[in-house]
Amino acid sequence: MDKRQAIGSWLSGPRAAAEEMGVDLGYRGQGLGLPESGPGAIAPLGRRLGALFIDWGLCVLISYALLAGRNPQAAGNWALLVFLVLSLLTVGTVGATPGKLLLRLRVVGEGGDRLSLPRAVLRSVLLVLVIPAVVFDRDTRGLHDRLSRAVQIRL
């Protein structure tokens, strides 16, 4: 292997390097028994980020209008608490936040069941901590989803 090929595989990431060596990793969600595309498939990263931005914007608006005394700096701090409560209430009951509903996504257990309250609490707390959400596996499930045995799917 020459240096250019080694640098190319480093820049492309481990998945591209493994595929170049002939390893078949399958599609995202295959190991969870989910379909490759359509309803029930793992939600695309772009839609999940879009839902997160919608939810965060909603939380900032709520905290600015109701909790922070119209102080933008305080609104950002309160928004984190509002986001935690929003996530607990909505994912724990209907399986989706307002942003996820708008973008036709849902959070379910690995077996397709509804998340129990303790699993929804664990997922929400880890999501608010941010770091577990940005560490993800080959199925693009964040650590917060893996530890709570949850998966975000398309509707």
Side-chain angles (χ1 to χ4, degrees):
M1 175 184 286
D2 69 26
K3 290 181 185 178
R4 289 177 296 177
Q5 189 176 15
I7 290 173
S9 67
W10 177 76
L11 290 174
S12 302
R15 182 179 181 103
E19 288 173 345
E20 189 175 301
M21 292 187 312
V23 177
D24 179 23
L25 297 174
Y27 62 85
R28 292 182 311 121
Q30 185 174 10
L32 297 168
L34 300 174
E36 186 171 359
S37 61
I42 286 195
L45 190 58
R47 282 169 73 182
R48 293 187 343 222
L49 286 174
L52 179 65
F53 285 124
I54 291 168
D55 292 334
W56 183 252
L58 179 63
C59 291
V60 169
L61 285 174
I62 290 170
S63 64
Y64 180 77
L66 302 177
L67 301 170
R70 310 238 175 201
N71 178 348
Q73 215 168 16
N77 295 333
W78 279 106
L80 199 57
L81 179 64
V82 173
F83 184 82
L84 176 65
V85 171
L86 175 82
S87 180
L88 284 172
L89 292 176
T90 58
V91 172
T93 56
V94 295
T97 62
K100 288 186 189 336
L101 287 174
L102 282 172
L103 297 180
R104 306 207 21 85
L105 304 175
R106 175 150 297 162
V107 179
V108 296
E110 288 175 342
D113 56 332
R114 191 171 75 62
L115 284 186
S116 64
L117 183 61
R119 288 169 56 194
V121 168
L122 175 64
R123 183 184 184 280
S124 298
V125 168
L126 290 172
L127 183 60
V128 168
L129 293 175
V130 178
I131 299 300
V134 296
V135 176
F136 52 89
D137 63 8
R138 69 180 206 93
D139 290 326
T140 64
R141 285 193 320 154
L143 195 55
H144 66 297
D145 281 332
R146 289 198 56 142
L147 292 174
S148 62
R149 296 185 332 271
V151 61
Q152 294 183 57
I153 60 168
R154 296 177 182 193
L155 290 180

PDB file of all heavy atoms in Angstrom, residues 88-114:
ATOM      1  N   LEU A  88     -38.474  14.129  27.868  1.00  0.00           N
ATOM      2  CA  LEU A  88     -39.061  13.157  28.794  1.00  0.00           C
ATOM      3  C   LEU A  88     -40.549  12.971  28.546  1.00  0.00           C
ATOM      4  O   LEU A  88     -41.046  11.841  28.473  1.00  0.00           O
ATOM      5  CB  LEU A  88     -38.855  13.604  30.240  1.00  0.00           C
ATOM      6  CG  LEU A  88     -37.471  13.415  30.820  1.00  0.00           C
ATOM      7  CD1 LEU A  88     -37.380  14.088  32.173  1.00  0.00           C
ATOM      8  CD2 LEU A  88     -37.143  11.951  30.934  1.00  0.00           C
ATOM      9  N   LEU A  89     -41.260  14.080  28.426  1.00  0.00           N
ATOM     10  CA  LEU A  89     -42.713  14.005  28.270  1.00  0.00           C
ATOM     11  C   LEU A  89     -43.132  13.425  26.922  1.00  0.00           C
ATOM     12  O   LEU A  89     -44.060  12.617  26.856  1.00  0.00           O
ATOM     13  CB  LEU A  89     -43.339  15.391  28.452  1.00  0.00           C
ATOM     14  CG  LEU A  89     -43.273  15.974  29.852  1.00  0.00           C
ATOM     15  CD1 LEU A  89     -43.848  17.383  29.871  1.00  0.00           C
ATOM     16  CD2 LEU A  89     -43.995  15.076  30.847  1.00  0.00           C
ATOM     17  N   THR A  90     -42.463  13.818  25.864  1.00  0.00           N
ATOM     18  CA  THR A  90     -42.924  13.407  24.536  1.00  0.00           C
ATOM     19  C   THR A  90     -42.385  12.043  24.112  1.00  0.00           C
ATOM     20  O   THR A  90     -43.139  11.214  23.620  1.00  0.00           O
ATOM     21  CB  THR A  90     -42.567  14.466  23.481  1.00  0.00           C
ATOM     22  OG1 THR A  90     -41.152  14.678  23.480  1.00  0.00           O
ATOM     23  CG2 THR A  90     -43.284  15.780  23.752  1.00  0.00           C
ATOM     24  N   VAL A  91     -41.091  11.797  24.321  1.00  0.00           N
ATOM     25  CA  VAL A  91     -40.543  10.488  23.954  1.00  0.00           C
ATOM     26  C   VAL A  91     -41.077   9.424  24.903  1.00  0.00           C
ATOM     27  O   VAL A  91     -41.356   8.299  24.486  1.00  0.00           O
ATOM     28  CB  VAL A  91     -38.993  10.513  23.943  1.00  0.00           C
ATOM     29  CG1 VAL A  91     -38.420   9.118  23.754  1.00  0.00           C
ATOM     30  CG2 VAL A  91     -38.493  11.428  22.842  1.00  0.00           C
ATOM     31  N   GLY A  92     -41.269   9.782  26.156  1.00  0.00           N
ATOM     32  CA  GLY A  92     -41.789   8.830  27.127  1.00  0.00           C
ATOM     33  C   GLY A  92     -43.251   8.483  26.940  1.00  0.00           C
ATOM     34  O   GLY A  92     -43.715   7.471  27.444  1.00  0.00           O
ATOM     35  N   THR A  93     -43.999   9.304  26.221  1.00  0.00           N
ATOM     36  CA  THR A  93     -45.432   9.031  26.028  1.00  0.00           C
ATOM     37  C   THR A  93     -45.762   8.652  24.588  1.00  0.00           C
ATOM     38  O   THR A  93     -46.224   7.557  24.332  1.00  0.00           O
ATOM     39  CB  THR A  93     -46.281  10.250  26.447  1.00  0.00           C
ATOM     40  OG1 THR A  93     -45.844  11.399  25.724  1.00  0.00           O
ATOM     41  CG2 THR A  93     -46.174  10.508  27.935  1.00  0.00           C
ATOM     42  N   VAL A  94     -45.509   9.561  23.648  1.00  0.00           N
ATOM     43  CA  VAL A  94     -45.880   9.282  22.248  1.00  0.00           C
ATOM     44  C   VAL A  94     -44.722   8.776  21.401  1.00  0.00           C
ATOM     45  O   VAL A  94     -44.907   8.408  20.247  1.00  0.00           O
ATOM     46  CB  VAL A  94     -46.516  10.524  21.569  1.00  0.00           C
ATOM     47  CG1 VAL A  94     -47.828  10.886  22.232  1.00  0.00           C
ATOM     48  CG2 VAL A  94     -45.576  11.693  21.552  1.00  0.00           C
ATOM     49  N   GLY A  95     -43.509   8.781  21.949  1.00  0.00           N
ATOM     50  CA  GLY A  95     -42.366   8.237  21.219  1.00  0.00           C
ATOM     51  C   GLY A  95     -41.704   9.206  20.269  1.00  0.00           C
ATOM     52  O   GLY A  95     -40.848   8.794  19.479  1.00  0.00           O
ATOM     53  N   ALA A  96     -42.065  10.473  20.323  1.00  0.00           N
ATOM     54  CA  ALA A  96     -41.455  11.448  19.411  1.00  0.00           C
ATOM     55  C   ALA A  96     -41.625  12.853  19.956  1.00  0.00           C
ATOM     56  O   ALA A  96     -42.642  13.180  20.550  1.00  0.00           O
ATOM     57  CB  ALA A  96     -42.086  11.359  18.030  1.00  0.00           C
ATOM     58  N   THR A  97     -40.609  13.679  19.745  1.00  0.00           N
ATOM     59  CA  THR A  97     -40.688  15.097  20.085  1.00  0.00           C
ATOM     60  C   THR A  97     -41.437  15.818  18.968  1.00  0.00           C
ATOM     61  O   THR A  97     -41.656  15.237  17.896  1.00  0.00           O
ATOM     62  CB  THR A  97     -39.273  15.684  20.223  1.00  0.00           C
ATOM     63  OG1 THR A  97     -38.611  15.552  18.962  1.00  0.00           O
ATOM     64  CG2 THR A  97     -38.476  14.992  21.319  1.00  0.00           C
ATOM     65  N   PRO A  98     -41.821  17.072  19.157  1.00  0.00           N
ATOM     66  CA  PRO A  98     -42.493  17.799  18.073  1.00  0.00           C
ATOM     67  C   PRO A  98     -41.665  17.842  16.785  1.00  0.00           C
ATOM     68  O   PRO A  98     -42.206  17.672  15.687  1.00  0.00           O
ATOM     69  CB  PRO A  98     -42.700  19.206  18.655  1.00  0.00           C
ATOM     70  CG  PRO A  98     -42.779  18.983  20.125  1.00  0.00           C
ATOM     71  CD  PRO A  98     -41.826  17.862  20.407  1.00  0.00           C
ATOM     72  N   GLY A  99     -40.365  18.046  16.902  1.00  0.00           N
ATOM     73  CA  GLY A  99     -39.511  18.065  15.711  1.00  0.00           C
ATOM     74  C   GLY A  99     -39.493  16.730  15.001  1.00  0.00           C
ATOM     75  O   GLY A  99     -39.526  16.657  13.767  1.00  0.00           O
ATOM     76  N   LYS A 100     -39.448  15.657  15.761  1.00  0.00           N
ATOM     77  CA  LYS A 100     -39.465  14.322  15.156  1.00  0.00           C
ATOM     78  C   LYS A 100     -40.801  14.060  14.469  1.00  0.00           C
ATOM     79  O   LYS A 100     -40.850  13.473  13.390  1.00  0.00           O
ATOM     80  CB  LYS A 100     -39.194  13.256  16.218  1.00  0.00           C
ATOM     81  CG  LYS A 100     -37.766  13.234  16.691  1.00  0.00           C
ATOM     82  CD  LYS A 100     -37.525  12.079  17.627  1.00  0.00           C
ATOM     83  CE  LYS A 100     -36.187  12.098  18.302  1.00  0.00           C
ATOM     84  NZ  LYS A 100     -35.110  12.794  17.702  1.00  0.00           N
ATOM     85  N   LEU A 101     -41.891  14.479  15.101  1.00  0.00           N
ATOM     86  CA  LEU A 101     -43.203  14.296  14.475  1.00  0.00           C
ATOM     87  C   LEU A 101     -43.302  15.063  13.156  1.00  0.00           C
ATOM     88  O   LEU A 101     -43.832  14.549  12.171  1.00  0.00           O
ATOM     89  CB  LEU A 101     -44.315  14.731  15.423  1.00  0.00           C
ATOM     90  CG  LEU A 101     -44.582  13.795  16.605  1.00  0.00           C
ATOM     91  CD1 LEU A 101     -45.603  14.405  17.551  1.00  0.00           C
ATOM     92  CD2 LEU A 101     -45.028  12.429  16.129  1.00  0.00           C
ATOM     93  N   LEU A 102     -42.792  16.309  13.155  1.00  0.00           N
ATOM     94  CA  LEU A 102     -42.825  17.105  11.916  1.00  0.00           C
ATOM     95  C   LEU A 102     -42.028  16.456  10.788  1.00  0.00           C
ATOM     96  O   LEU A 102     -42.413  16.533   9.626  1.00  0.00           O
ATOM     97  CB  LEU A 102     -42.278  18.513  12.176  1.00  0.00           C
ATOM     98  CG  LEU A 102     -43.217  19.484  12.861  1.00  0.00           C
ATOM     99  CD1 LEU A 102     -42.481  20.768  13.224  1.00  0.00           C
ATOM    100  CD2 LEU A 102     -44.402  19.809  11.966  1.00  0.00           C
ATOM    101  N   LEU A 103     -40.933  15.821  11.145  1.00  0.00           N
ATOM    102  CA  LEU A 103     -40.074  15.194  10.132  1.00  0.00           C
ATOM    103  C   LEU A 103     -40.326  13.693  10.009  1.00  0.00           C
ATOM    104  O   LEU A 103     -39.558  12.985   9.368  1.00  0.00           O
ATOM    105  CB  LEU A 103     -38.603  15.477  10.445  1.00  0.00           C
ATOM    106  CG  LEU A 103     -38.236  16.961  10.394  1.00  0.00           C
ATOM    107  CD1 LEU A 103     -36.763  17.158  10.709  1.00  0.00           C
ATOM    108  CD2 LEU A 103     -38.585  17.571   9.055  1.00  0.00           C
ATOM    109  N   ARG A 104     -41.441  13.235  10.592  1.00  0.00           N
ATOM    110  CA  ARG A 104     -41.903  11.849  10.471  1.00  0.00           C
ATOM    111  C   ARG A 104     -40.883  10.830  10.968  1.00  0.00           C
ATOM    112  O   ARG A 104     -40.507   9.897  10.260  1.00  0.00           O
ATOM    113  CB  ARG A 104     -42.347  11.550   9.041  1.00  0.00           C
ATOM    114  CG  ARG A 104     -43.389  12.546   8.560  1.00  0.00           C
ATOM    115  CD  ARG A 104     -44.347  12.124   7.515  1.00  0.00           C
ATOM    116  NE  ARG A 104     -44.624  10.732   7.270  1.00  0.00           N
ATOM    117  CZ  ARG A 104     -45.533   9.990   7.936  1.00  0.00           C
ATOM    118  NH1 ARG A 104     -46.218  10.530   8.912  1.00  0.00           N
ATOM    119  NH2 ARG A 104     -45.748   8.739   7.617  1.00  0.00           N
ATOM    120  N   LEU A 105     -40.458  11.042  12.225  1.00  0.00           N
ATOM    121  CA  LEU A 105     -39.538  10.124  12.888  1.00  0.00           C
ATOM    122  C   LEU A 105     -40.153   9.690  14.209  1.00  0.00           C
ATOM    123  O   LEU A 105     -41.032  10.364  14.739  1.00  0.00           O
ATOM    124  CB  LEU A 105     -38.195  10.816  13.162  1.00  0.00           C
ATOM    125  CG  LEU A 105     -37.463  11.424  11.978  1.00  0.00           C
ATOM    126  CD1 LEU A 105     -36.226  12.161  12.452  1.00  0.00           C
ATOM    127  CD2 LEU A 105     -37.100  10.366  10.971  1.00  0.00           C
ATOM    128  N   ARG A 106     -39.665   8.580  14.743  1.00  0.00           N
ATOM    129  CA  ARG A 106     -40.140   8.092  16.031  1.00  0.00           C
ATOM    130  C   ARG A 106     -39.007   7.372  16.740  1.00  0.00           C
ATOM    131  O   ARG A 106     -38.144   6.790  16.103  1.00  0.00           O
ATOM    132  CB  ARG A 106     -41.310   7.140  15.825  1.00  0.00           C
ATOM    133  CG  ARG A 106     -41.762   6.522  17.130  1.00  0.00           C
ATOM    134  CD  ARG A 106     -43.187   6.191  17.194  1.00  0.00           C
ATOM    135  NE  ARG A 106     -43.962   7.416  17.080  1.00  0.00           N
ATOM    136  CZ  ARG A 106     -45.235   7.436  16.762  1.00  0.00           C
ATOM    137  NH1 ARG A 106     -45.863   6.336  16.535  1.00  0.00           N
ATOM    138  NH2 ARG A 106     -45.892   8.567  16.673  1.00  0.00           N
ATOM    139  N   VAL A 107     -39.028   7.405  18.064  1.00  0.00           N
ATOM    140  CA  VAL A 107     -38.062   6.670  18.881  1.00  0.00           C
ATOM    141  C   VAL A 107     -38.781   5.443  19.436  1.00  0.00           C
ATOM    142  O   VAL A 107     -39.828   5.568  20.076  1.00  0.00           O
ATOM    143  CB  VAL A 107     -37.535   7.533  20.050  1.00  0.00           C
ATOM    144  CG1 VAL A 107     -36.560   6.745  20.899  1.00  0.00           C
ATOM    145  CG2 VAL A 107     -36.878   8.799  19.523  1.00  0.00           C
ATOM    146  N   VAL A 108     -38.217   4.272  19.157  1.00  0.00           N
ATOM    147  CA  VAL A 108     -38.789   3.024  19.652  1.00  0.00           C
ATOM    148  C   VAL A 108     -37.679   2.191  20.289  1.00  0.00           C
ATOM    149  O   VAL A 108     -36.496   2.459  20.093  1.00  0.00           O
ATOM    150  CB  VAL A 108     -39.468   2.209  18.516  1.00  0.00           C
ATOM    151  CG1 VAL A 108     -40.653   2.955  17.934  1.00  0.00           C
ATOM    152  CG2 VAL A 108     -38.482   1.835  17.433  1.00  0.00           C
ATOM    153  N   GLY A 109     -38.073   1.162  21.003  1.00  0.00           N
ATOM    154  CA  GLY A 109     -37.109   0.221  21.542  1.00  0.00           C
ATOM    155  C   GLY A 109     -36.531  -0.630  20.423  1.00  0.00           C
ATOM    156  O   GLY A 109     -37.076  -0.693  19.318  1.00  0.00           O
ATOM    157  N   GLU A 110     -35.434  -1.305  20.698  1.00  0.00           N
ATOM    158  CA  GLU A 110     -34.785  -2.126  19.677  1.00  0.00           C
ATOM    159  C   GLU A 110     -35.713  -3.189  19.110  1.00  0.00           C
ATOM    160  O   GLU A 110     -35.576  -3.578  17.959  1.00  0.00           O
ATOM    161  CB  GLU A 110     -33.523  -2.780  20.246  1.00  0.00           C
ATOM    162  CG  GLU A 110     -32.402  -1.810  20.466  1.00  0.00           C
ATOM    163  CD  GLU A 110     -31.202  -2.445  21.131  1.00  0.00           C
ATOM    164  OE1 GLU A 110     -31.339  -3.541  21.735  1.00  0.00           O
ATOM    165  OE2 GLU A 110     -30.122  -1.842  21.058  1.00  0.00           O
ATOM    166  N   GLY A 111     -36.660  -3.658  19.875  1.00  0.00           N
ATOM    167  CA  GLY A 111     -37.602  -4.667  19.395  1.00  0.00           C
ATOM    168  C   GLY A 111     -38.845  -4.073  18.763  1.00  0.00           C
ATOM    169  O   GLY A 111     -39.775  -4.787  18.426  1.00  0.00           O
ATOM    170  N   GLY A 112     -38.887  -2.751  18.618  1.00  0.00           N
ATOM    171  CA  GLY A 112     -40.048  -2.089  18.043  1.00  0.00           C
ATOM    172  C   GLY A 112     -41.086  -1.674  19.066  1.00  0.00           C
ATOM    173  O   GLY A 112     -42.104  -1.085  18.719  1.00  0.00           O
ATOM    174  N   ASP A 113     -40.832  -1.966  20.328  1.00  0.00           N
ATOM    175  CA  ASP A 113     -41.763  -1.605  21.392  1.00  0.00           C
ATOM    176  C   ASP A 113     -41.583  -0.160  21.827  1.00  0.00           C
ATOM    177  O   ASP A 113     -40.625   0.487  21.464  1.00  0.00           O
ATOM    178  CB  ASP A 113     -41.574  -2.538  22.596  1.00  0.00           C
ATOM    179  CG  ASP A 113     -40.133  -2.538  23.105  1.00  0.00           C
ATOM    180  OD1 ASP A 113     -39.221  -2.298  22.298  1.00  0.00           O
ATOM    181  OD2 ASP A 113     -39.919  -2.790  24.307  1.00  0.00           O
ATOM    182  N   ARG A 114     -42.547   0.341  22.590  1.00  0.00           N
ATOM    183  CA  ARG A 114     -42.463   1.693  23.126  1.00  0.00           C
ATOM    184  C   ARG A 114     -41.417   1.708  24.235  1.00  0.00           C
ATOM    185  O   ARG A 114     -41.258   0.737  24.970  1.00  0.00           O
ATOM    186  CB  ARG A 114     -43.842   2.094  23.676  1.00  0.00           C
ATOM    187  CG  ARG A 114     -43.966   3.551  24.015  1.00  0.00           C
ATOM    188  CD  ARG A 114     -45.385   3.946  24.344  1.00  0.00           C
ATOM    189  NE  ARG A 114     -45.944   3.583  25.617  1.00  0.00           N
ATOM    190  CZ  ARG A 114     -45.523   3.971  26.818  1.00  0.00           C
ATOM    191  NH1 ARG A 114     -44.538   4.699  26.957  1.00  0.00           N
ATOM    192  NH2 ARG A 114     -46.113   3.619  27.919  1.00  0.00           N
TER     193      ARG A 114
END
